[in-house]
Amino acid sequence: RLFLREEAVKAGVTSERAMDLTMAANEILTNALRYGHGVAALWGWPEEGRFLCHIQDDGPGIADPLAGYVPPADAMEAGRGLWLARQLVDLLQIVPNSTGTTVRLCVDR
């Protein structure tokens, strides 16, 4: 988390937005490790006025194309991470591929 936050701030992301990105990435990494066969990788870099973070796992992906768009029910014990991550960043994309799933997080710089 510290690495991602520091890299985002170095790239011109405000401290507050870098913390939002870090919290969103933490939620996605938790899901990647839980559902992605325990393997995950993270990349972060600046690009064209924004900072991008990609998190890749080896899991089967997310079956629901609308996952994280609707707030979870209050009674749920789990399932809030993806929704929370969507609230914290400017853009969140879920990209399935032949080897797993990549989640892209983006914040403006």
Side-chain angles (χ1 to χ4, degrees):
R1 291 183 292 231
L2 180 61
F3 165 79
L4 182 61
R5 185 171 184 272
E6 287 177 349
E7 291 300 307
V9 168
K10 279 195 270 185
V13 176
T14 66
S15 181
E16 182 179 321
R17 293 300 289 150
M19 183 57 73
D20 289 345
L21 173 64
T22 301
M23 290 172 48
N26 188 68
E27 293 296 331
I28 301 304
L29 280 167
T30 299
N31 286 347
L33 293 172
R34 180 175 291 152
Y35 303 112
H37 303 141
V39 177
L42 177 143
W43 297 268
W45 68 94
E47 183 177 290
E48 300 176 6
R50 56 193 175 168
F51 190 86
L52 301 175
C53 174
H54 284 198
I55 298 169
Q56 171 75 42
D57 70 43
D58 294 338
I62 300 170
D64 181 0
L66 299 177
Y69 282 104
V70 176
D74 287 337
M76 291 181 65
E77 291 183 22
R80 292 181 171 88
L82 190 54
W83 179 82
L84 177 62
R86 284 194 190 277
Q87 307 314 301
L88 293 168
V89 297
D90 297 313
L91 177 66
L92 184 150
Q93 297 173 309
I94 301 169
V95 183
N97 56 55
S98 61
T99 61
T101 303
T102 299
V103 175
R104 297 177 183 161
L105 306 171
C106 175
V107 292
D108 292 336
R109 293 194 285 150

